[in-house]
């Protein structure tokens, strides 16, 4: 069982690292030296490991969003947009509403997180309604809504209502302090959001595999016709999956904002929602395994900084690395999985 | 009439333990229309697939025009002048008629051309044309093997000649070929029309044209009239006559007695894989043929007569349902089941049984006048129906009955009724125990609850569905072909179980294509043909009358 779970990802990683090593070799770098530096940079000491965890969190949140959706037969490519909308809602709350609130983090922070989750979920309900009422393919509608979200954010922070009051740059004001997500060991950046993400991964696993609610979600994803004949509502469960998926991504955006950047700006997300698809597929769409996959992608990010510092390799190599992993995932792992699911859909 | 163009000798085909075709002898004469009659599962399709090279016989031999042949693939069969029109059309919807027909021809030519080019051994395309010329010359040279051999050689020569021009696809040529063919056989169809826009009857013509373009001398038609409207059937018969006039032989499978009697010259009846009758049409009356088809069976399960309780469980009235092709699949059906009663609906596949069951389960839209009441309530939607305590064994276990990627255990609880009993948590211990118990009771093999249901054999998948739907003893059970794919002992277990439920005051609607099953179990009996329900309880001992009802005749 464990062998089955680990075999494929191991194969994927080995081939991706090998391919990348060849690329580095061709470019005149020593790949072993580079990987050693990356490893040290990502896991070398407690502080570095903590930073890797920090970088992993958005991958984990968006990855959970994708994993839940795909697992339930919904091809939500919209995590990117939902992530941004969550951050947008949190920004609005943290800069416009929270100043009128009592300065108590225990009230403001959960409220802000809930609002962001709600915003992400509602954003995801748009393609959901299009799908259940008009049969619009969610792959297309969610991708298109990503652009809507991206431009909505740029409008809001660049001369829009959420731009900083001083109007100096395309960014929002800083959130008020009582909606900051607390850092666990200041001055280190490790924050409460990491804990939230891990707990959510566990809760999601429990919901999907141990409750009748999750059973129904999975049943609709794996065999819609059979689920319907069993009396499980396809429409209801489709809406639920979209909402949950969107809420997770939205929450991810809010966590990133409230814990780290503390203000919204152009290009707030460097494509977390898209990378999350690779994360989720690498994890075989299992929420718990998504933690490991997200950690890997976080480590790639911190590791690439180290490679840049000590070996002088551009951090663009990370992107190449991510791309090779994604290709390897498609090549080995999900090819069979995707094939199975299309057959089932027909 | 003329010589035997096709002879089957002692053909047997087994699938595992199942003997699908049992020592069948069969001959097809040149220029005849030969009908194959038989119940579902009698082995008709298997036999046709053996002729067409989709299956290879376990034993026995096939001769085409007197020469023994073994077809490894349909390609071999086509090369020997055998064409088949399947019940489900193999057409490309967004190409035109001419393109579809040209495609099959071009495809074949390319393959032949490749083979030829290889044969010449030089392998380059430039050498292809000399090779073709060589081939033509060869074909035209004085025949060596007598008259028969000459015929094939000339045909080969023609094919080769065609091939020289056929390498690039010319649309105008394709249209011309199509029009020539359709004129020759009176198969009027617009060569430039997109296939996707054609009616079912016209699509069928295109399929026939495709087979003729491949120069089929023997044409196998698998239930060709099943998809046609009555008007289209008349046109179809004219086509058959034209083909016959061209001395082509036609083998066609049908369930419809009156059509068979009208069009065929000879007919063969299959029952349980055996050829039980072969003779000229008209030798036996429709009633006698029906008897041959259905046989007389030993009834294995004893059903004691009981008076059902007066309480209605299922009450359907004026139910009309449109099928997937927007045809009227169920036409104005009214039906009642009571407590302690099994109501049986017999009939040949595809007469609206599936749509009827799905409509009762709330899975299909019904006409405005339709009402479906269960235990006095009119549930809206499948969930409400299920929660009233209705079990449903669907016809299509692969997509409606099971989720193949879910484990056996998970499939055993796939119903809102089970889920409701669980509450919001899945009780790990209880579900495991239940799964093991049901697997044991219904003898699901292998007995592993964690295995994906998709990995089970068809019969074992069926057992999973049966275990799930029957074990909670539902107030009403809608069972469509419950024993399809089961061996005799498993089927008997299911039959006993159904009777036990009836004796405990539950109600069962048994919809089955197995007449034996319905006769054995049902207290009241209907036959469904063309979406209509015919009361047939009074004919329960008159198997001929039942056969006639099932094949669309009148009693």
């Amino acid at each position: 069982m464990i062998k089955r779970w680990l075999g494929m990802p191991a194969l994927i990683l080995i081939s991706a690292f090998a391919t990348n090593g060849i690329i580095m070799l061709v470019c005149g770098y020593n790949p072993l030296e580079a990987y050693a530096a990356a490893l040290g940079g990502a896991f070398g000491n407690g502080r570095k490991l903590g930073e890797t965890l920090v970088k992993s969190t958005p991958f984990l949140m968006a990855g959970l969003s994708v994993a839940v959706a795909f697992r339930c037969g919904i091809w939500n490519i919209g995590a990117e947009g939902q992530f941004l909308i969550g951050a947008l809602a949190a920004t609005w709350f943290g800069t416009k509403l929270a100043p009128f609130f009592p300065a108590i983090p225990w009230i403001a922070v959960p409220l802000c997180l809930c609002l962001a989750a709600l915003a992400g979920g509602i954003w995801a309900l748009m393609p959901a309604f299009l799908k259940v009422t008009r049969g619009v393919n969610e792959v297309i509608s969610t991708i298109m809504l990503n652009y809507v979200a991206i431009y909505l954010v740029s409008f809001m922070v660049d001369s829009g209502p959420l731009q900083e009051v001083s109007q100096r740059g395309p960014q929002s004001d800083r959130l008020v302090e009582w909606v900051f997500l607390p850092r666990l060991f200041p001055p280190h950046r490790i924050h409460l959001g990491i804990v939230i993400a891990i707990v959510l991964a566990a809760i999601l696993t429990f919901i999907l595999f141990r409750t009748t609610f999750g059973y129904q979600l999975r049943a609709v994803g794996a065999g819609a016709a059979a689920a319907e004949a069993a009396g499980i509502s396809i429409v209801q469960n489709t809406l639920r999956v979209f909402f949950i998926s969107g809420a997770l991504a939205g929450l991810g955006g809010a966590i990133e904002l409230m814990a780290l950047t503390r203000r919204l700006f152009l290009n707030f997300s460097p494509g977390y929602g898209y990378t999350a698809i690779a994360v989720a597929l690498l994890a075989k769409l299992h929420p718990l395994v998504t933690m490991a996959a997200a950690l890997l992608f976080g480590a790639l990010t911190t590791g690439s900084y180290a490679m840049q510092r000590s070996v002088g390799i551009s951090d663009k190599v990370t992107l190449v690395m991510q791309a090779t992993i994604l290709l390897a995932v498609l090549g080995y792992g999900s090819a069979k999985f995707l094939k199975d699911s299309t057959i089932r859909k027909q | 009439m003329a010589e035997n163009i096709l002879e089957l000798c002692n053909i047997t085909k087994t699938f595992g333990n199942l003997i699908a075709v049992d020592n069948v002898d069969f001959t097809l004469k040149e220029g005849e229309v030969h009908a194959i009659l038989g119940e579902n599962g009698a082995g008709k399709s298997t036999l046709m697939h053996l002729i067409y090279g989709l299956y290879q016989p376990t034993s026995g031999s096939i001769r085409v025009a007197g020469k023994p042949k073994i077809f490894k693939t349909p390609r071999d069969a086509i090369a020997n002048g055998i064409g088949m029109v399947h019940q489900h059309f193999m057409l490309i919807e967004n190409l035109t008629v001419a393109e579809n027909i040209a495609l099959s021809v071009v495809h074949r030519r390319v393959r032949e051309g490749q083979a030829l080019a290889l044969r010449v051994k030089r392998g380059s395309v430039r050498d292809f044309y000399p090779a073709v010329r060589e081939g033509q010359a060869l074909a035209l040279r004085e025949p060596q093997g007598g008259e028969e051999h000459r015929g094939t050689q000339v045909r080969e020569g023609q094919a080769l000649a065609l091939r020289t021009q056929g390498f690039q696809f010319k649309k105008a040529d394709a249209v011309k070929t199509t029009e020539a063919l359709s004129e020759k056989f009176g198969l009027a169809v617009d060569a430039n029309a997109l296939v996707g826009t054609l009616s079912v009857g016209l699509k069928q013509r295109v399929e026939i044209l495709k087979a003729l373009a491949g120069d089929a001398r023997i044409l196998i038609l698998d239930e060709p009239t099943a998809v046609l409207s009555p008007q289209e059937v008349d046109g179809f018969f004219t086509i058959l006559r034209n083909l016959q006039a061209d001395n082509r032989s036609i083998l066609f499978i049908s369930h419809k007695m009156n059509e068979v009697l009208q069009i065929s010259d000879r007919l063969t009846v299959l029952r349980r894989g055996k050829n039980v009758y072969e003779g000229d049409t008209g030798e036996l009356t429709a009633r006698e043929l029906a008897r041959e088809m259905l046989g007389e069976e030993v009834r294995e399960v004893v059903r004691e007569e009981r008076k059902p309780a007066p309480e209605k469980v299922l009450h359907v009235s004026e139910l009309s349902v449109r099928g997937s092709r927007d045809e009227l699949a169920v036409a104005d059906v009214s039906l009642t089941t009571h407590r302690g009663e099994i109501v049986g609906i017999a009939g040949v596949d595809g007469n609206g049984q599936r749509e009827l069951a799905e409509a009762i389960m709330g899975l299909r839209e019904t006409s405005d006048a339709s009402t479906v009441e269960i235990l006095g309530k009119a549930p809206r939607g499948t969930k409400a129906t299920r929660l009233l305590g209705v079990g449903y064994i669907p016809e299509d276990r692969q997509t409606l009955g099971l989720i193949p990627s879910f484990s056996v255990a998970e499939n055993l609880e796939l119903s809102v009724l089970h889920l409701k009993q669980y509450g919001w948590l899945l009780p790990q211990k209880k579900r495991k125990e239940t799964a093991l118990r049901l697997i044991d009771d219904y003898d699901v093999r292998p007995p592993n609850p964690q295995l994906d249901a998709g990995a089970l054999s068809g019969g074992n998948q069926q057992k999973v569905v049966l275990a799930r739907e029957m074990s909670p003893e539902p107030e009403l059970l809608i069972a469509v072909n419950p024993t399809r794919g089961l061996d005799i002992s498993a089927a008997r277990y299911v039959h006993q179980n159904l009777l036990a439920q009836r004796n405990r005051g539950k109600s069962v609607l048994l919809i089955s294509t197995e007449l034996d099953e319905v006769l054995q179990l049902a207290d009241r009996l209907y036959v469904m043909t063309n979406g209509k329900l015919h009361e047939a309880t009074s004919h329960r001992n008159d198997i001929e009358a039942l056969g006639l009802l099932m094949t669309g005749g009148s009693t």
Side-chain angles (χ1 to χ4, degrees):
Chain A
M1 192 64 192
I2 289 168
K3 212 173 157 190
R4 214 179 79 188
W5 267 102
L6 289 181
M8 200 54 89
L11 199 63
I12 289 166
L13 290 183
I14 289 168
S15 27
F17 277 98
T19 313
N20 243 35
I22 292 168
I23 294 171
M24 284 190 235
L25 214 56
V26 170
C27 297
Y29 301 106
N30 180 349
L32 291 180
E33 202 185 321
Y35 283 144
L39 204 64
F43 303 109
N45 57 36
R47 209 178 54 79
K48 285 172 178 164
L49 178 64
E51 192 55 26
T52 298
L53 288 176
V54 168
K55 292 286 180 202
S56 304
T57 310
F59 290 124
L60 176 53
M61 289 302 300
L64 288 175
S65 160
V66 175
V68 168
F70 283 21
R71 164 76 62 169
C72 299
I74 301 295
W75 303 100
N76 175 19
I77 316 292
E80 179 77 3
Q82 292 140 16
F83 186 90
L84 287 174
I85 292 299
L88 190 67
T91 308
W92 176 67
F93 180 85
T95 59
K96 303 294 178 194
L97 272 191
F100 303 108
F101 268 62
I104 310 167
W106 283 114
I107 298 173
V109 167
L111 208 61
C112 188
L113 289 174
C114 287
L115 187 73
L118 195 67
I122 290 173
W123 190 257
L125 279 180
M126 287 196 279
F129 274 114
L130 288 174
K131 184 181 172 74
V132 297
T133 57
R134 321 283 332 163
V136 176
N137 186 318
E138 73 272 17
V139 173
I140 295 163
S141 56
T142 52
I143 288 178
M144 293 200 298
L145 278 167
N146 283 345
Y147 290 98
V148 176
I150 289 166
Y151 292 118
L152 188 64
V153 166
S154 27
F155 162 70
M156 284 294 186
V157 299
D158 192 0
S159 76
L162 288 183
Q163 194 180 14
E164 54 187 346
V165 178
S166 62
Q167 296 206 329
R168 262 178 307 185
Q171 58 176 14
S172 73
D173 277 317
R174 220 166 76 125
L175 308 181
V176 293
E177 254 173 62
W178 51 95
V179 292
F180 285 6
L181 209 53
R183 295 187 174 170
L184 299 180
F185 313 104
H188 194 281
R189 305 211 298 166
I190 285 191
H191 54 80
L192 190 64
I194 298 169
V195 181
I196 295 176
I198 291 171
V199 170
L200 277 176
I203 291 177
L204 277 177
T205 309
F206 183 80
I207 288 179
L208 278 180
F209 299 104
R210 289 280 192 270
T211 67
T212 47
F213 178 82
Y215 177 94
Q216 295 185 39
L217 295 183
R218 284 188 300 121
V220 169
E228 193 180 20
I232 298 170
S233 163
I234 293 179
V235 169
Q236 216 174 56
N237 284 288
T238 302
L239 295 179
R240 283 175 184 162
V241 171
F242 269 107
F243 184 82
I244 294 171
S245 175
L248 285 166
L251 200 58
I255 288 174
E256 188 74 356
L257 181 91
M258 292 157 65
L260 298 173
T261 70
R262 289 167 180 178
R263 50 171 103 223
L264 189 63
F265 44 84
L266 283 183
N267 305 324
F268 172 75
S269 162
Y272 289 130
Y274 294 118
T275 312
I277 296 169
V279 173
L281 288 177
L282 185 64
K284 293 192 170 177
L285 310 181
H286 195 294
L288 284 181
V289 189
T290 305
M291 293 199 292
L295 187 68
L296 172 74
F297 276 72
L300 281 176
T301 313
T302 47
S304 76
Y305 296 154
M307 282 199 289
Q308 192 171 16
R309 274 196 310 273
S310 54
V311 196
I313 298 174
S314 155
D315 64 348
K316 294 288 178 288
V317 170
T318 322
L319 299 179
V320 176
M321 190 75 203
Q322 286 182 359
T324 28
I325 290 180
L326 183 56
L327 286 174
V329 167
L330 291 173
Y332 290 113
S334 65
K336 185 177 172 295
F337 166 78
L338 288 171
K339 205 174 75 193
D340 288 352
S341 65
T342 36
I343 289 168
R344 234 171 282 136
K345 268 190 178 168
Q346 287 161 1
Chain B
M1 230 185 333
E3 60 198 292
N4 295 339
I5 188 157
L6 177 74
E7 289 164 292
L8 305 188
C9 204
N10 295 326
I11 291 282
T12 298
K13 176 69 184 173
T14 57
F15 298 100
N17 292 328
L18 180 82
I19 303 172
V21 170
D22 192 357
N23 214 9
V24 164
D25 287 314
F26 171 78
T27 51
L28 179 68
K29 291 179 180 163
E30 197 162 24
E32 76 170 349
V33 176
H34 194 127
I36 312 270
L37 278 165
E39 277 193 297
N40 290 108
K44 305 184 298 288
S45 288
T46 310
L47 190 66
M48 296 305 112
H49 288 167
L50 286 166
I51 297 172
Y52 191 55
L54 280 164
Y55 298 146
Q56 285 69 48
T58 311
S59 64
S61 62
I62 299 178
R63 288 164 167 271
V64 177
K67 275 182 288 182
K69 299 271 181 187
I70 295 167
F71 301 141
K72 292 207 180 78
T73 61
R75 203 185 293 171
D76 296 340
I78 293 167
N80 282 283
I82 298 177
M84 181 157 181
V85 176
H86 298 267
Q87 211 175 350
H88 305 285
F89 301 141
M90 316 266 180
L91 295 170
I92 300 173
E93 301 250 309
N94 45 12
L95 291 183
T96 65
V97 171
E99 284 166 338
N100 261 289
I101 288 164
L103 193 66
S104 62
V105 178
V106 167
H107 203 61
R108 187 161 47 88
R109 282 196 195 138
V110 169
R111 267 197 315 264
E112 280 171 7
Q114 282 168 339
L116 199 78
L118 278 175
R119 225 180 293 146
V120 184
K121 279 183 189 171
R122 290 175 197 153
S124 83
V125 180
R126 226 182 321 135
D127 297 318
F128 178 65
Y129 289 102
V132 169
R133 273 196 294 280
E134 203 182 309
Q136 269 174 301
L138 199 83
L140 295 172
R141 224 180 289 152
E142 197 58 37
Q144 294 161 359
E147 205 57 26
E148 256 175 29
H149 195 62
R150 187 198 170 94
T152 23
Q153 279 201 338
V154 169
R155 262 208 300 285
E156 267 173 27
Q158 283 170 332
L160 284 168
L162 275 173
R163 225 182 281 142
T164 50
Q165 4 154 327
F167 247 77
Q168 70 255 65
F169 171 69
K170 291 201 191 89
K171 197 162 181 174
D173 291 350
V175 171
K176 228 181 286 169
T177 318
T178 305
E179 280 171 351
L181 271 172
S182 78
E183 198 180 333
K184 183 173 175 193
F185 296 104
L187 287 144
V189 58
D190 178 3
N192 290 308
L194 278 182
V195 166
T197 64
L198 299 180
S199 70
V200 181
L202 286 176
K203 279 183 190 164
Q204 189 178 52
R205 289 188 184 184
V206 179
E207 278 283 13
I208 296 174
L209 280 173
K210 244 172 76 179
L212 293 172
D215 199 30
R217 305 297 307 171
I218 301 171
L219 208 56
I220 304 171
L221 306 168
D222 190 357
E223 293 195 46
T225 56
V227 293
L228 300 181
S229 70
Q231 292 76 22
E232 285 175 323
V233 169
D234 289 340
F236 171 74
F237 283 172
T238 318
I239 294 166
L240 289 192
R241 292 287 174 226
N242 289 341
L243 292 172
Q244 200 177 9
D246 197 49
N247 213 22
R248 292 175 200 249
S249 315
I250 292 149
L251 245 178
F252 93 101
I253 299 181
S254 179
H255 291 298
K256 297 181 185 166
M257 188 75 72
N258 42 9
E259 288 176 7
V260 167
L261 292 176
Q262 193 186 336
I263 189 70
S264 68
D265 303 313
R266 287 201 311 140
L267 44 83
T268 292
V269 180
L270 293 183
R271 185 172 77 224
R272 309 223 151 177
K274 288 197 168 71
N275 182 346
V276 292
Y277 173 78
E278 181 171 345
D280 289 342
T281 307
E283 269 181 18
L284 294 187
T285 64
R287 282 178 156 263
E288 287 163 332
L289 282 172
R291 174 167 291 269
E292 291 293 345
M293 250 171 86
L294 301 171
E296 267 160 312
E297 300 298 328
V298 190
R299 300 193 183 166
E300 287 159 349
V301 183
V302 183
R303 180 183 61 94
E304 44 191 306
E305 290 294 337
R306 268 175 183 245
K307 240 181 125 73
E311 270 174 276
K312 286 179 187 173
V313 176
L314 172 69
H315 182 66
V316 173
S317 74
E318 294 177 49
L319 179 72
S320 297
V321 183
R322 295 217 165 259
S324 42
R325 282 179 278 113
D326 205 41
E327 79 286 12
L328 197 61
V330 177
D332 201 13
V333 162
S334 297
L335 174 75
T336 306
T337 74
H338 302 90
R339 283 197 186 281
E341 183 181 49
I342 297 179
V343 174
I345 298 181
V348 175
D349 252 347
N351 274 294
Q353 296 99 319
R354 180 195 180 127
E355 288 83 358
L356 174 65
E358 290 181 4
I360 293 172
M361 289 309 296
L363 289 165
R364 268 182 197 268
E365 272 188 39
T366 56
S367 71
D368 293 341
S370 311
T371 54
V372 175
E373 281 180 19
I374 294 162
L375 295 166
K377 298 195 181 73
R380 290 171 60 91
T382 312
K383 186 176 178 181
T385 310
R386 285 272 189 186
L387 289 178
L388 283 173
V390 181
Y392 174 40
I393 299 163
E395 169 172 298
D396 183 349
R397 60 183 166 234
Q398 292 273 3
T399 60
L400 279 183
L402 289 173
I403 298 181
S405 63
F406 269 28
S407 70
V408 169
E410 282 175 317
N411 271 295
L412 283 170
E413 58 199 12
L414 183 62
S415 156
V416 279
L417 213 54
H418 289 84
L419 297 177
K420 201 186 169 200
Q421 282 170 0
Y422 284 164
W424 72 278
L425 274 184
L426 294 172
Q428 296 304 315
K429 202 176 150 206
K430 187 179 160 197
R431 67 200 287 231
K432 196 178 170 191
E433 283 168 4
T434 315
L436 286 173
R437 179 170 56 79
L438 290 178
I439 284 172
D440 189 48
D441 283 357
Y442 284 81
D443 191 28
V444 177
R445 286 180 223 176
N448 175 4
Q450 295 311 318
L451 201 68
D452 278 0
L456 297 180
S457 71
N460 282 295
Q461 289 181 347
Q462 182 72 2
K463 288 180 196 167
V464 172
V465 177
L466 290 164
R468 179 183 70 222
E469 300 297 338
M470 290 170 64
S471 63
E473 305 222 332
E475 292 302 322
L476 171 66
L477 180 68
I478 314 282
V480 188
N481 294 327
T483 55
R484 182 171 282 182
L486 298 188
D487 56 32
I488 293 170
S489 59
R492 189 184 296 177
Y493 178 76
V494 171
H495 289 165
Q496 279 162 352
N497 199 323
L498 286 172
L499 282 173
Q501 303 215 2
R502 157 201 183 247
N503 294 344
R504 263 175 253 138
K506 312 290 181 189
S507 183
V508 178
L509 180 64
L510 172 68
I511 302 176
S512 176
T513 53
E514 305 269 333
L515 185 58
D516 297 340
E517 183 169 87
V518 178
L519 285 174
Q520 269 175 48
L521 301 176
D523 298 298
R524 282 190 299 122
L525 182 61
Y526 292 94
V527 169
M528 195 161 187
T529 23
N530 290 325
K532 291 202 177 66
L533 221 49
H534 305 280
E535 169 70 52
T537 316
S538 54
H539 300 311
R540 95 171 295 142
N541 293 316
D542 186 354
I543 208 156
E544 293 174 3
L546 285 175
L548 276 179
L549 267 180
M550 285 168 68
T551 48
S554 51
T555 43

